[in-house]
Amino acid sequence: MISESSYWKDELYKNYQTLARFIYLKRRDERSFIKAEKAIMMSAFIIRKLNEAAKIPPEFLKNSICLTEYTAIKTHIDKYNSHHIDRNYNLAESKKYNDKIEFFIDQIIHSFVFFFIIDENNTDFAILFNSDRTKKDSLYGISIEKIFEIILRISEGGISESYVCFDEKRGEKKLKTAKYSYPKNFDLKKIVRESLKGKIYKRDKNAEFDIPIVSLKQIEDMQSGKDIELS
């Protein structure tokens, strides 16, 4: 169980830096691909452990993320033919849909196919992935932009208000909801846009944090089991 989350969030930030540099490398060798692969896989593991340790709001991983889905052509897909993604999946046809972030995290942790996609102009980056459970049905794609968003949304903030309740089924307390605060003037969308243009986000070690305030009405709603909207 993670006790102090800041060290793990520092690792997430380093993983973001690795990926941000990777997309602007003029030459990529096997080592650079492995480093990028490791950054994504380790980020997924860290995010899961932070969630299990109640170091991020539980609703974070319930939020939706845009994915691309390709259906399987072959029914027999194993480790000996997994690299033939063009033969195993219909890459000519795809559909975009929204799924929970926790689905993406689970697929990466238990990944079967993991493949980088880079266009001819070296400007469009994505990864193709699935797990041992989903390999016979579909292959999924996600943009590097969305991966930046997931990592930085977690690495650059911290819980400032939380509500814990008792789970009678499990016989233990659990984090029901929480508010996450970020450094003042933290603009995630702008940071991601600039990252895609080659400008890597640098932390301000002296930055002050915006501390959101939970109203009495929100506390009452949480205690009654109502859904609340967190800013």
Side-chain angles (χ1 to χ4, degrees):
M1 184 71 71
I2 291 176
S3 57
E4 176 50 62
S5 64
S6 63
Y7 300 105
W8 295 91
K9 290 176 181 177
D10 287 346
E11 290 301 311
L12 282 179
Y13 172 68
K14 291 176 184 177
N15 290 340
Y16 150 75
Q17 290 181 307
T18 296
L19 293 171
R21 294 190 187 101
F22 172 74
I23 65 175
Y24 268 88
L25 287 177
K26 293 182 178 180
R27 293 184 179 180
R28 299 183 187 87
D29 55 16
E30 184 179 33
R31 181 178 176 82
S32 62
F33 276 99
I34 294 299
K35 288 179 68 175
E37 179 182 79
K38 181 181 177 181
I40 294 173
M41 291 186 176
M42 289 304 298
S43 292
F45 173 78
I46 291 171
I47 290 169
R48 170 178 279 186
K49 298 306 292 183
L50 288 172
N51 185 61
E52 291 175 352
K55 299 300 182 181
I56 60 176
E59 56 267 26
F60 264 26
L61 300 192
K62 302 296 182 184
N63 290 330
S64 63
I65 194 77
C66 181
L67 300 177
T68 304
E69 183 178 13
Y70 308 87
T71 57
I73 299 172
K74 290 187 176 182
T75 57
H76 181 74
I77 301 173
D78 57 31
K79 61 183 178 181
Y80 299 106
N81 67 1
S82 62
H83 58 290
H84 294 303
I85 59 172
D86 56 332
R87 302 178 191 175
N88 296 334
Y89 304 96
N90 184 5
L91 300 183
E93 295 182 10
S94 65
K95 69 173 182 179
K96 290 188 179 297
Y97 80 106
N98 290 328
D99 212 323
K100 293 179 180 178
I101 293 176
E102 64 182 353
F103 172 79
F104 166 68
I105 296 297
D106 182 70
Q107 294 295 299
I108 295 301
I109 291 175
H110 300 283
S111 58
F112 181 78
V113 171
F114 188 98
F115 198 82
F116 284 98
I117 297 293
I118 305 173
D119 72 353
E120 295 179 355
N121 297 321
N122 203 40
T123 56
D124 190 17
F125 290 79
I127 64 167
L128 298 178
F129 62 92
N130 60 19
S131 70
D132 192 60
R133 290 185 178 182
T134 59
K135 66 183 180 184
K136 294 182 179 180
D137 299 317
S138 301
L139 180 69
Y140 304 94
I142 186 172
S143 67
I144 195 70
E145 175 184 2
K146 296 302 179 185
I147 294 175
F148 284 163
E149 287 182 10
I150 294 171
I151 292 175
L152 292 172
R153 186 179 295 277
I154 293 174
S155 70
E156 300 312 293
I159 290 178
S160 55
E161 298 282 348
S162 62
Y163 174 64
V164 177
C165 64
F166 187 77
D167 188 336
E168 294 183 358
K169 291 183 179 180
R170 295 186 176 184
E172 60 185 27
K173 292 181 179 180
K174 72 173 185 178
L175 180 65
K176 186 172 183 179
T177 191
K179 280 205 170 187
Y180 219 56
S181 62
Y182 296 91
K184 287 184 177 180
N185 303 317
F186 179 79
D187 187 337
L188 179 60
K189 295 293 185 183
K190 180 180 179 181
I191 291 170
V192 171
R193 286 196 305 269
E194 291 181 343
S195 298
L196 295 174
K197 296 178 181 178
K199 183 178 179 181
I200 299 176
Y201 165 70
K202 294 183 179 180
R203 286 173 162 177
D204 181 357
K205 295 181 179 180
N206 299 317
E208 295 182 3
F209 273 64
D210 286 319
I211 306 298
I213 302 300
V214 179
S215 68
L216 178 61
K217 178 65 167 58
Q218 286 179 310
I219 294 294
E220 291 173 346
D221 286 344
M222 287 186 285
Q223 290 175 334
S224 65
K226 293 181 180 179
D227 293 331
I228 67 168
E229 182 177 348
L230 296 178
S231 58

